[in-house]
Amino acid sequence: MSFGTVQRTMRLRWIVVILLAPVCVLASFAQTRPSARDLLAQMTLEEKVAQLSQLPGIPTDDFKEQVDTAPEEIARKYGAGSVLWVSDPKEINRWQHIAVDESRLHIPILFGLDVIHGYHTIFPAPIAMASSWDPKLVEGAQSVAAQEARAAGIQWTFAPMVDIARDARWGRMVEGAGEDPYLGAAMARAQVLGFQGKDLTSPDHVLACMKHFAGYGAADGGRDYDSSYIPEEAMWNVYLPPFKAAVDAGVGSAMSAYMDLNDVPASGNAWLLHDVLREAWNFQGFVVSDAVAVHSLITHGYARDGDDAAYKAFSAGLNMDMASGTYLKYLAAEVRQGRISMQQIDDAVLPILETKIRLGLFEHPYLDEGRLQQVLNAPEHLETARAAVQRSVVLLRNEHNLLPLDKSGKQIKSVAVIGPLADAEGDLLGMWGNIGKPRPTVSILQGIKNKVGSAVRVEFAHGPNIRRDIASIFEGNPLVPMQEQPKQSAEEAKRAFEDAVAASRRSDVVVMVLGEIGLMSAEAASRSSLRLSGGQQELLEAVAAAGKPVVLVLVNGRPLEISWAAEHVGAILEAWYPGSQGGNGIADVLFGDANPGGHLPVSWLRATGQVPIYYNHNRTQAPEDAPGFRSRYWDILTTPLYPFGYGLSYTTFSFDNLKVSQAEAKVGASLEVSVDVTNTGSRAGDAVAQLYIHQRAGSASRPVRQLKGFQRVSLAAGAKQTIHFTLGPEELRFWSPAKKEWAVEPEQFDVWAGEDSTAKLHGEFRLTQ
Ligand code: BGC
């Protein structure tokens, strides 16, 4: 070839290249970010069903019983909608290579895990985060969780858990925001924003999944998985609002609950999954079942067999089968037999593909192992976790200002740190905190030692071990590597008891850390009695009798029976499961480097027999404040030990000057309520201003009080701030069982503002037609 020919050929090539460039760019774009509909058009029925399936990343018998092909083989042959329970980054990349390199259509897998309150940096458990009454804090914490999880290859978290819980016997109260729909909705919104951010494509966010849809917290007798019977008005007014808030905040997925709701299992419940979620709320994401819940429709006695289970779950509106293999086994046959149409299948697959596209999985299917450590070990994550502990603990009692303790060594020379949870590490994370790759945890004992250094002598005594009477189903599960405390002989327990009492005698102050190990307050961790178990009550009484001032720190997932402590112990600090920085954050509060400002998201019972107990109940014909009323129980007061919204501080606050903008307003109008909050003590602190309303009459009885606004404010000593709330149609409406619709009614309303649900400062207004 002559030089001239070469030149001509080169020119021609350039022309071809220039002409084809835009086509190539488009082609490569299309290849990296396909359209969901184009993908669907290329898919076989089996490939579609695989997208509707979540495969167990660790082998399970349930799955094996349905499907004899190994999950990896399925991913290789047909792809997979999702894989769950793989938390190791290397494993995630390995699985992803199978789907992307080896499956016919190269559709990436969506990896899901329970990143409930952190992946590496573990934040306080959700009930604790709700106790902060600080949605910004919650949003920030979940955005850290999202960053860490996404860096580790998890693009989907099974959170937020937004189940309203009014019965502390139920072990999963710890995973939610407590008993109140308004606070629950605020926490749901904050978590969705934290997890998903504004743009799911960003490498720092994950898809959120609101769960468990819906009514799981109302399990009969507080027994996990038991049936819930919830009238429609309670569904709309109490149990559904946090879910609705999550949908409004753009939550991309939902998980159906395990239990029967009004006799129809939630995972096959068309009213929930279709009428409420799709029709009433226009939810555009996809629904996954809870683990194995599709197959469990047979166990419930709702489905005849696997065919029927797949049919009932799918036709109710459930897109993805979590790990039961029932869709894989039966769905294609259902289509071939004409019970389910291809159009229905396509409609169910579409939001799953769209989600993968939104997440940018086609462009970036793999995690960058090189970047991982840098994200996980970001020092600011630890700071956020410590601040979260400081802001979420609730000071329940502080007689004669026992707290804060002096760390200088001048007022106290020694402290005894006592109790079976004082040196706990993994247990401070709660169950789900153990599922990812948790950082080393700072125990409360270590936190106290870090705080006082050599200025104060710290002595530790464990006391007798505490154990569940019936082992947890999660004990020994590699996914959440947690253990019970070892069994002890009666002799060993007695010695541990006596050592603890002796240690308390030798010290100036005692910090007792009691409560529940992580496996005592979690899934499948309901209890019939909420006593301090395993001899802890007896130990507390013996230590208190030894005569030294006692600070009780509670590590637990729900209110416990502490009526004795509430009379006999100097100070009580509710720490919940405080996470990686638990020890440091608690020590900050105990020794006054942080001022507690957390408030209870639940009514604190006096005795287990009071449950379900909640502040926003209706007024009866013999209300507590009526003349002559004694009590509905003859052995105990009806009221809680500590009311919903309650929490102390090292300073004090006064609430005055409640103003309602209009004495009368038209239905549909908004009113402004303002109140002055003053820090009346001598140190800076946070108040949580709470606004409650009551509608005096209407088409239905209305709760005695309902939270309709709150704001956490920091005030310097002596400072005053006016807090403003808006009461608009959204706050004033309720779902009327008489009208079968949402209603704002022309009636008289009461308003209260203050520090908890018993606030006295009162105002009123009337709505007119
Ligand atoms: C729990 C869910 C969880 C799922 C996946 C189930 O047992 O009820 O809350 O998301 O397992 O781990």
Side-chain angles (χ1 to χ4, degrees), residues 577-648:
Y577 294 121
S580 307
Q581 280 294 295
N584 285 334
I586 303 290
D588 291 337
V589 172
L590 290 175
F591 291 89
D593 288 336
N595 190 352
H599 285 246
L600 292 175
V602 283
S603 303
W604 196 290
L605 48 89
R606 295 172 190 274
T608 312
Q610 283 182 306
V611 298
I613 182 169
Y614 46 94
Y615 81 96
N616 46 1
H617 56 82
N618 285 2
R619 209 168 150 79
T620 70
Q621 58 90 23
E624 281 84 346
D625 53 3
F629 175 84
R630 290 293 173 267
S631 173
R632 265 182 284 282
Y633 302 116
W634 60 255
D635 57 349
I636 200 169
L637 291 173
T638 315
T639 52
L641 181 62
Y642 301 114
F644 171 83
Y646 173 85
L648 300 173

Side-chain angles (χ1 to χ4, degrees), residues 84-85 114 116 158 172 175 211-212 216 225 255 258 290-291 322 432 435 474 479 523:
L84 85 159
W85 298 324
D114 297 275
I116 309 295
F158 306 131
R172 303 195 77 170
E175 295 176 52
K211 70 183 190 187
H212 306 83
Y216 189 24
Y225 314 131
M255 185 187 291
Y258 276 134
D290 202 337
M322 183 187 280
W432 292 123
I435 202 176
F474 292 98
L479 202 62
E523 184 175 346

Side-chain angles (χ1 to χ4, degrees), residues 29 61 64 89 190 207 221 241 390 505 566 597 637:
F29 183 70
D61 293 342
K64 274 191 228 150
L207 178 73
Q390 296 169 354
R505 287 209 182 91
L637 291 173

Side-chain angles (χ1 to χ4, degrees), residues 466-602:
I466 51 172
R467 295 175 57 79
R468 289 172 51 130
D469 301 332
I470 298 172
S472 165
I473 52 167
F474 292 98
E475 171 122 57
N477 185 327
L479 202 62
V480 281
M482 303 184 71
Q483 273 162 5
E484 291 263 17
Q485 299 189 347
K487 267 197 182 125
Q488 283 174 316
S489 66
E491 191 48 43
E492 285 167 330
K494 184 165 174 280
R495 205 171 321 122
F497 190 100
E498 286 164 1
D499 287 351
V501 178
S504 78
R505 287 209 182 91
R506 287 191 291 269
S507 300
D508 295 334
V509 169
V510 182
V511 174
M512 287 202 80
V513 189
L514 306 179
E516 302 176 291
I517 61 166
L519 290 176
M520 285 178 175
S521 199
E523 184 175 346
S526 295
R527 39 191 306 204
S528 69
S529 157
L530 296 159
R531 284 195 78 221
L532 284 166
S533 66
Q536 294 183 95
Q537 179 65 35
E538 293 72 10
L539 183 65
L540 178 63
E541 291 183 23
V543 167
K548 299 297 167 61
V550 177
V551 177
L552 171 60
V553 177
L554 290 169
V555 171
N556 52 329
R558 48 170 151 216
L560 298 174
E561 285 187 17
I562 54 164
S563 294
W564 185 90
E567 275 183 42
H568 298 95
V569 163
I572 307 177
L573 188 66
E574 174 54 77
W576 308 111
Y577 294 121
S580 307
Q581 280 294 295
N584 285 334
I586 303 290
D588 291 337
V589 172
L590 290 175
F591 291 89
D593 288 336
N595 190 352
H599 285 246
L600 292 175
V602 283

Side-chain angles (χ1 to χ4, degrees), residues 660 662-663 665-667 671 692-698 702-704 706 708 727-729 731-734 743-752 762-768:
V660 184
Q662 295 123 280
K666 291 258 181 253
V667 161
L671 298 100
Y692 294 88
I693 66 163
H694 168 61
Q695 179 178 329
R696 285 198 199 162
R702 305 304 304 131
V704 287
Q706 289 178 281
K708 291 296 175 180
L727 287 176
E731 288 75 24
L732 297 171
R733 71 178 197 160
F734 72 101
V744 181
E745 299 186 336
E747 294 292 348
Q748 190 73 22
F749 288 79
D750 297 296
V751 189
W752 296 267
H762 177 253
E764 54 185 84
F765 64 90
R766 169 176 285 283
L767 288 186
T768 57

